Amino acid sequence: MTIGAAENYDRSKEVKDFDDSKIGVKGLVDSGITSIPRFFVHSPESLPSNQPHISDDDDGIPIIDLSSVNSHRRSIIVDQIKEASRTWGFFQIINHDIPLDVLDRTICSIKAFNEQPTEIKSKYYTREMGKGVSFLTNIDLFQSKAASWRDTLQVRLGPTYPDLDQIPEICRNELVEWDQHVQRLGEILMGVLCEGMGLETDRLKEMTCLEGRTLASHYYPYCPEPDRTVGLSSHSDPGVLTVLLQDKIGGLFVRKNGGEDWVEVKPLAGAIVINIGDLLQIISNDEYKSAEHRVVANRFQEPRVSAAVFFNPGKREDIYGPVPELISPEKPALYKQFTLSEFLRRFFTKGLDGKSLIDYFKL
């Protein structure tokens, strides 16, 4: 690029023109581009290819079998999930009782939505936060330093569903069915997590932590320059708990114990990925830890597809912070109290950027 061209580059205009086109990243790929637009290019030091990562199976994310969660072996599972939540903030679960065909249909329906013609998908393209359903590229497109190579269909699932006819018909039944299974799974996991902290099993449920649910289904198409951008920037999830379904393509990495190394959450057939959010780290007074994670840009011709359900409290104006049962003279509260509205405002102001959200609420 010549100096003159660099001087004439208007990033805000290019981002706005792209967003106004409503074609998404998939539309850019379909147009036949061989290089990515400049606003998708990340600084070299922030790119995964320039940072250490571990692929050794011995260092992999814990895999926990839930098949005996309601038996005499429950205490063993409680200890396993407690340890994974304290050290990794991430784990995979197997034998979770969600039928494999439900997992497959969920992924296939999201893929089908994204592979419709632009004129159909663009009807859902919006950045209005109040809408129950939205399709967009990067929720933080206008705030981030560089955009990420993915499109997202987002659906608010709780405390109240949107009108079902707002959900695209091509994936409506599948996403509603997925949510029904995830609600049941979320209640089981939160009960286990409570017991791991020495709390009553229903403590998080009583705090309405099962009620606020948002589905973010991500579609990561082939990227012609995968070493210049990312699929999803490094961040920790703001909520209580995330239940993630990923396909076989791979590319999700988690920062190991807050250090320099990144470990891939390798796809495992039939498994579901679980991770701790910032809000649960605060509620637990650091008993559990949220973890930074990211997705590399997809270098394969086949798209990567995932579906994440984020659990949040349903009551936005209630006060949250470390629960009193976990505060003592030996371990005082590490975080201040706040409303969920204040917490989420702070998140949407800062965007997807490391774990700076949790730092803001430290005492």
Side-chain angles (χ1 to χ4, degrees):
M1 180 180 287
T2 65
I3 293 176
E7 288 175 347
N8 292 331
Y9 175 68
D10 186 341
R11 183 183 189 280
S12 60
K13 181 181 186 303
E14 190 168 324
V15 169
K16 185 177 186 305
D17 287 348
F18 166 72
D19 198 54
D20 288 346
S21 75
K22 302 183 178 183
I23 65 172
V25 171
K26 175 69 162 56
L28 292 176
V29 176
D30 290 344
S31 72
I33 62 166
T34 56
S35 61
I36 63 176
R38 185 167 166 180
F39 61 90
F40 283 99
V41 177
H42 287 242
S43 61
E45 66 274 8
S46 69
L47 288 167
S49 56
N50 296 326
Q51 296 172 351
H53 70 272
I54 297 174
S55 57
D56 191 328
D57 287 340
D58 292 339
D59 291 303
I61 304 300
I63 298 169
I64 298 171
D65 187 336
L66 276 194
S67 60
S68 304
V69 73
N70 292 317
S71 74
H72 64 282
R73 295 190 69 254
R74 183 179 178 89
S75 61
I76 297 173
I77 295 171
V78 168
D79 287 342
Q80 289 174 335
I81 289 181
K82 175 182 179 179
E83 181 63 19
S85 301
R86 292 174 64 183
T87 56
W88 284 93
F90 260 78
F91 53 94
Q92 298 203 69
I93 56 171
I94 57 175
N95 296 322
H96 40 65
D97 276 353
I98 301 180
L100 295 183
D101 65 317
V102 171
L103 309 187
D104 291 341
R105 286 200 303 271
T106 301
I107 291 292
C108 288
S109 71
I110 294 166
K111 185 172 183 285
F113 168 80
N114 282 276
E115 294 180 354
Q116 295 178 110
T118 295
E119 55 267 27
I120 296 176
K121 290 187 296 183
S122 64
K123 298 173 186 175
Y124 299 94
Y125 199 100
T126 180
R127 294 192 179 276
E128 288 184 39
M129 297 304 298
K131 290 207 168 187
V133 178
S134 60
F135 168 62
L136 73 170
T137 297
N138 291 217
I139 194 170
D140 59 346
L141 180 66
F142 289 90
Q143 292 84 32
S144 61
K145 295 176 183 176
S148 301
W149 200 255
R150 75 179 184 284
D151 296 326
T152 301
L153 175 66
Q154 188 163 288
V155 182
R156 184 194 69 240
L157 300 170
T160 56
Y161 262 80
D163 291 337
L164 289 182
D165 58 6
Q166 290 183 16
I167 304 174
E169 184 177 5
I170 197 167
C171 56
R172 182 183 304 153
N173 293 337
E174 291 81 1
L175 297 187
V176 170
E177 183 180 20
W178 174 238
D179 177 51
Q180 291 168 346
H181 285 286
V182 169
Q183 284 185 67
R184 180 191 60 80
L185 178 61
E187 184 165 1
I188 291 170
L189 290 170
M190 286 196 202
V192 169
L193 287 163
C194 284
E195 291 171 30
M197 292 185 283
L199 302 175
E200 293 293 329
T201 303
D202 288 340
R203 188 69 168 90
L204 288 170
K205 182 179 181 180
E206 291 166 355
M207 294 171 66
T208 72
C209 292
L210 286 161
E211 295 180 13
R213 300 181 314 285
T214 299
L215 168 78
S217 58
H218 297 312
Y219 182 93
Y220 304 85
Y222 164 73
C223 180
E225 294 184 290
D227 293 326
R228 300 186 73 201
T229 189
V230 300
L232 185 58
S233 299
S234 171
H235 69 287
S236 56
D237 292 343
V240 176
L241 194 70
T242 302
V243 175
L244 172 73
L245 176 62
Q246 64 170 345
D247 67 7
K248 63 183 180 181
I249 298 299
L252 170 64
F253 287 78
V254 59
R255 188 192 289 270
K256 185 180 181 183
N257 300 328
E260 294 299 313
D261 296 322
W262 291 83
V263 180
E264 185 172 10
V265 184
K266 294 183 178 179
L268 180 63
I272 294 173
V273 181
I274 308 297
N275 65 276
I276 305 300
D278 291 340
L279 193 52
L280 185 51
Q281 178 170 337
I282 291 171
I283 288 171
S284 73
N285 206 30
D286 273 3
E287 282 293 311
Y288 298 145
K289 301 291 176 63
S290 63
E292 286 183 67
H293 51 286
R294 65 187 179 199
V295 177
V296 298
N298 182 17
R299 59 181 66 248
F300 303 105
Q301 292 295 329
E302 187 176 353
R304 179 181 189 271
V305 179
S306 67
V309 175
F310 305 108
F311 282 91
N312 279 297
K315 296 182 178 178
R316 293 201 165 205
E317 300 312 315
D318 281 7
I319 300 297
Y320 298 92
V323 295
E325 300 96 308
L326 300 178
I327 299 172
S328 67
E330 294 73 33
K331 188 169 185 183
L334 301 174
Y335 301 93
K336 57 188 175 183
Q337 296 189 324
F338 48 84
T339 65
L340 184 63
S341 292
E342 178 187 356
F343 186 76
L344 293 177
R345 269 198 309 272
R346 176 63 51 174
F347 170 72
F348 286 115
T349 299
K350 82 168 192 68
L352 301 174
D353 179 22
K355 283 189 69 169
S356 59
L357 175 66
I358 205 163
D359 293 336
Y360 177 81
F361 292 96
K362 284 183 176 177
L363 286 171

